[in-house]
Amino acid sequence: MIVTTKELFKVAYGQFAIGAYNINNMEQCIGLFQGNLDSQAPFIIQISKGARSYARVKMLEGLINSAQEVFPEAIFAVHLDHGDEQACYDCIDSGFYSSVMIDASHFPFDENVAITQRVVERAHAKGISVEAELGMLGGVEEDIKVDEKHAMLTDPDEAATFVERAGCDSLAVAIGTSHGAYKFKGRQGLHLERLAEIQQRLPGFPLVMHGSSSVPREEVERINAAGGAMDPSARGVDENEFAKAVPLGVTKVNIDTDGRLVWMRVHREYFRDEPEKIDFRPPGKIFMAEYAKFIAHKNTQLGSAGRLAEVREALG
Ligand code: 13P
């Protein structure tokens, strides 16, 4: 059953976070549904602009529609990840998406508000939820000074004004994470104190954490042992921090890179160990099972595992 992110956040706020996982192909789609049902969790399917052009818009819709038939128990939102204004309108008009993200965070504040307002108006007219972004992800390179790092975090006062003016349903905030495998150096982690300040200005309002892969060391080591060349210092979000972010208003946690690492590890190890094999289905099968296991594990960390019945009841 496809629901809006707003409906999911109503149940989740303050209790647990919902995993938002990016998909690009059939293997990820099957593993995603399987892992969420194995762990009895509601979830969010994220589709990026890149995924829409890689897999073709209609192919992705077909995959998700078929997955609904294969896994009828599943409760999830279909969400456009990092859309520009046109991509948001395309998804709103398609009638398939239940949620869109308008990412105008790179524009000046007033322009970000104006663009988000326009998207909100069109989305809400069709009952679709809107996530917006304020602040800049990233800024975690070693050569960037602490002050500069803080300058990129979401400003709590601005966040309150932004939400009031833009009318979005959730807000992606910059609290120290970045996209990709190389997020943190040394002992740096999430800026939970900043998150707490944002929540104080926006009590009860759903916040979103992008760049939340944990980049497990074991994955990186296995990838490199099988011929990969990742920087061994790659580091992500400590999974123990999710439980601290949830009471501070985080209801959606975006995870993409970690799933790519599972794909890379499975395929590198398979073809290293079976160099004479040419059939892509055996590693594909292993990947789907491993991806399902990975999703179930993440849901346990996010607190969304075991919540499916509660969400179903709340939805009526
Ligand atoms: P990661 O690169 O940490 O997986 O973040 C993904 C993301 O935030 C997608 O919007």
Side-chain angles (χ1 to χ4, degrees), residues 106-283:
H106 42 287
F107 288 108
F109 183 85
D110 285 334
E111 216 171 328
N112 188 357
V113 170
I115 294 168
T116 304
Q117 270 173 347
R118 290 199 289 272
V119 171
V120 165
E121 195 175 319
R122 284 217 2 206
H124 284 183
K126 295 200 168 180
I128 294 168
S129 310
V130 178
E131 173 184 327
E133 179 168 328
L134 186 68
M136 288 280 221
L137 291 187
V140 289
E141 300 299 331
E142 236 173 1
D143 55 352
I144 292 179
K145 292 190 198 107
V146 174
D147 280 358
E148 285 167 356
K149 281 184 199 167
H150 273 85
M152 294 190 210
L153 301 183
T154 302
D155 179 274
D157 290 327
E158 275 189 6
T161 310
F162 182 88
V163 167
E164 194 190 332
R165 285 177 57 194
C168 53
D169 303 292
S170 59
L171 185 69
V173 291
I175 53 166
T177 64
S178 59
H179 295 113
Y182 306 100
K183 301 183 195 301
F184 301 120
K185 299 280 183 187
R187 294 168 59 81
Q188 190 204 335
L190 297 182
H191 291 280
L192 291 170
E193 75 297 335
R194 179 59 63 102
L195 188 59
E197 287 176 55
I198 297 169
Q199 189 197 34
Q200 272 168 20
R201 309 293 201 293
L202 285 168
F205 189 80
L207 303 175
V208 177
M209 226 169 83
H210 280 246
S212 301
S213 280
S214 59
V215 195
R217 176 164 300 179
E218 194 207 331
E219 275 313 8
V220 175
E221 283 171 359
R222 286 177 69 176
I223 287 165
N224 286 347
M230 288 186 67
D231 179 342
S233 72
R235 258 190 67 211
V237 175
D238 178 348
E239 287 184 336
N240 296 316
E241 305 230 278
F242 295 148
K244 298 179 195 161
V246 167
L248 299 176
V250 168
T251 49
K252 174 173 178 275
V253 170
N254 287 14
I255 296 169
D256 183 12
T257 298
D258 280 350
R260 295 177 187 213
L261 297 182
V262 176
W263 190 92
M264 201 152 47
R265 182 250 300 164
V266 165
H267 287 85
R268 281 195 180 279
E269 287 185 347
Y270 181 83
F271 289 112
R272 174 196 63 190
D273 299 340
E274 309 277 355
E276 77 291 356
K277 296 274 172 68
I278 59 163
D279 188 351
F280 54 79
R281 288 170 296 190

